[in-house]
Amino acid sequence: QVQLVESGGGLVQAGGSLRLSCTASGSAITVIAMGWYRQAPGKQRNVVASLTSSGMPEYGDSAKGRFTISGDNAKKTVYLQMNNLQPEDTAIYYCRMIVTKNTWIAPSIFWGQGTEVTVSS
């Protein structure tokens, strides 16, 4: 089975930075696309940033100019560098990967368990 393990969350003051990481485990899998989502208390889960199958980054409005997504398909790892964090960035951050395997009929979507980011003012 495929598991995504995230790390890098924590408590930071406004204006600070954090770097999130997420690595997929599983034998003979291929990662097609990667992304980061976040969910604040009482709100829906929204996309923060993603890497398409061609490696192009796409950003949600909240991330533009402050966050950078990068990935290493060989390592099955996606990163999110977050700069100039603000209290409104406080949320649980989830990584999401679209993964395939030659024995599967179709690709599948997997989610990490979430890592908490808290930004104090």
Side-chain angles (χ1 to χ4, degrees):
Q1 187 56 282
V2 176
Q3 287 187 323
L4 305 187
V5 178
E6 299 148 344
S7 62
L11 173 65
V12 64
Q13 288 188 331
S17 299
L18 285 174
R19 188 185 192 223
L20 306 182
S21 300
C22 174
T23 299
S25 64
S27 62
I29 60 172
T30 300
V31 177
I32 298 173
M34 308 172 174
W36 288 95
Y37 289 67
R38 72 184 185 187
Q39 187 167 17
K43 296 189 176 180
Q44 290 185 331
R45 188 176 298 187
N46 293 315
V47 61
V48 176
S50 62
L51 285 173
T52 67
S53 56
S54 59
M56 292 297 294
E58 296 178 341
Y59 296 95
D61 288 341
S62 63
K64 291 178 182 176
R66 299 186 300 132
F67 297 178
T68 302
I69 187 171
S70 60
D72 186 330
N73 279 37
K75 294 182 178 179
K76 295 174 281 189
T77 299
V78 61
Y79 307 95
L80 185 67
Q81 177 66 43
M82 304 186 293
N83 298 328
N84 191 24
L85 284 160
Q86 300 299 316
E88 53 266 33
D89 295 315
T90 295
I92 305 294
Y93 285 70
Y94 299 89
C95 71
R96 172 183 180 267
M97 293 191 188
I98 302 175
V99 176
T100 191
K101 193 171 182 177
N102 58 7
T103 56
W104 295 352
I105 295 174
S108 294
I109 296 173
F110 294 90
W111 291 88
Q113 81 285 357
T115 185
E116 188 168 4
V117 172
T118 302
V119 185
S120 63
S121 57

